[in-house]
Amino acid sequence: MYRLRAAAAATAALFLTSTACGSDGSGSGDGNGTDSIEIGALSIVDTAPVHLAASHGFFARHGIKAKITPVQGGAYSASGVVSGQFDFGFSNTTTLLTAREQGLPLKAVANGVASTGQAGPGKDYSAVLVPKGSAIKSAKDLPGRNIAVNQLKNIGDTTIRAAVRRAGGDPEKLKFTEIPLSDMPAALAAGRVDAIWTVEPFQTQAIDQGAHDVCWPFAEAVDDLTVAMYFTSEKLLRDKPDLVKRFTAAINDALAHARAHPEAVRAELGKYTKIPPSVVKRIVLPKWPTAINRASVRSIADLARKDGVLKKPADVGALLP
């Protein structure tokens, strides 16, 4: 949240400068009818389709040559798109809603990733895990406990609060500690926190170290949750609508391919991540529908407003295509 605010302040001036000078910071042509673009995206399981789009020719089929640049988080993608460093980005729904509230002119153009919608051990790619022997058995037992999330006031704690409400617990008594996803299994094993909220592959890695899942916030908080989306700036959408249309078409092709060919996803993960092969073959994959679940985005916006993450009712229509 704080990183996004700092990024917003730093990039607003850059955006104004670039627009005043007439530079769109957007994909450039190579003279052969192909547009070169740069995409800011985390190197995680969620982003497998954009890598498939590059490696399997979906971008090329739509006249696009794409460079995918790894970023540390969705806030960096957002600021990079606004400043013109990136043409497109990938970020979770809460970060994009927060960015819009802070005045960043971003627009979603394609679905990114979704929860499987199924709660239960091994059924969704995101879960709250506890160590062996823990007294925590369900979401209702989480209040009063120290839970690790990778970023405070974001989609992790928002969905955990919602899952706790549904289970009859008091979300006001939840305690959160910010810990990088990669450090969570060790933090849980060392007893530094009572529980961790994480996603694949860290979920499987923590389970390998003796943890077990007790709550599945993405699946329990909102039905068929759109967790993240691909987005661009309003300026690029205005200046190069055909490029945006072709990007969306390529991503949709890749999403469909990922959904139909999970083996291709697992093979791709071995190319752009450092996930061990023994883990890649066992992780729970998310869903990759082509349609954004607009109702789920509105639900996340309402939950974020209730929790104080958003300061005012979100203009969801301004974000969604």
Side-chain angles (χ1 to χ4, degrees):
M1 188 72 160
Y2 301 111
R3 287 191 290 270
L4 183 55
R5 285 174 179 161
T11 57
L14 282 170
F15 182 76
L16 291 172
T17 300
S18 65
T19 55
C21 294
S23 170
D24 63 7
S26 63
S28 57
D30 63 359
N32 297 313
T34 298
D35 285 293
S36 295
I37 64 170
E38 185 166 357
I39 306 162
L42 292 82
S43 296
I44 54 176
V45 174
D46 308 42
T47 57
V50 75
H51 290 273
L52 287 171
S55 67
H56 284 57
F58 297 118
F59 279 137
R61 189 177 304 166
H62 291 280
I64 295 172
K65 180 180 180 181
K67 174 185 178 182
I68 304 169
T69 300
V71 296
Q72 296 179 19
Y76 294 94
S77 291
S79 61
V81 167
V82 173
S83 70
Q85 177 186 0
F86 304 132
D87 302 293
F88 299 90
F90 175 95
S91 189
N92 77 63
T93 297
T94 303
T95 293
L96 291 176
L97 289 166
T98 303
R100 285 292 316 192
E101 182 177 79
Q102 295 175 357
L104 297 185
L106 303 178
K107 191 79 172 180
V109 296
N111 185 41
V113 67
S115 163
T116 66
Q118 301 181 56
K123 292 185 177 181
D124 201 14
Y125 82 111
S126 175
V128 173
L129 296 99
V130 298
K132 183 178 180 180
S134 172
I136 302 171
K137 305 300 181 184
S138 71
K140 190 175 182 179
D141 301 322
L142 290 172
R145 309 287 184 165
N146 189 9
I147 309 162
V149 293
N150 70 317
Q151 186 175 342
L152 297 173
K153 295 186 176 182
N154 209 279
I155 198 166
D157 49 26
T158 293
T159 53
I160 292 171
R161 290 180 193 278
V164 168
R165 285 191 193 98
R166 280 196 175 189
D170 184 356
E172 298 301 319
K173 295 182 179 179
L174 289 167
K175 301 176 182 178
F176 296 105
T177 297
E178 188 171 282
I179 297 177
L181 289 168
S182 58
D183 295 341
M184 286 188 186
L188 185 65
R192 288 166 44 205
V193 291
D194 301 309
I196 59 174
W197 167 80
T198 191
V199 295
E200 292 289 16
F202 310 105
Q203 176 174 290
T204 294
Q205 291 174 337
I207 290 172
D208 285 348
Q209 295 178 27
H212 64 280
D213 38 0
V214 296
C215 171
W216 303 267
F218 284 171
E220 294 181 63
V222 178
D223 294 336
D224 297 319
L225 174 62
T226 291
V227 177
M229 295 173 277
Y230 293 94
F231 63 94
T232 190
S233 67
E234 289 182 346
K235 185 177 189 325
L236 182 61
L237 185 60
R238 182 177 63 251
D239 292 350
K240 293 197 173 184
D242 181 66
L243 172 60
V244 175
K245 183 178 179 180
R246 286 184 282 120
F247 174 86
T248 300
I251 289 294
N252 285 340
D253 288 347
L255 289 168
H257 188 80
R259 190 167 62 250
H261 301 283
E263 73 286 352
V265 170
R266 296 184 192 276
E268 195 69 25
L269 288 172
K271 301 175 184 178
Y272 73 90
T273 74
K274 296 180 180 179
I275 305 173
S278 61
V279 176
V280 167
K281 66 182 182 182
R282 292 183 293 114
I283 59 175
V284 180
L285 296 178
K287 284 170 53 177
W288 285 292
T290 52
I292 295 170
N293 184 344
R294 303 175 77 90
S296 78
V297 176
R298 292 190 185 94
S299 294
I300 284 294
D302 292 342
L303 291 170
R305 177 75 175 97
K306 181 182 293 186
D307 295 336
V309 174
L310 296 177
K311 304 306 178 186
K312 57 185 178 181
D315 186 354
V316 174
L319 172 65
L320 299 183

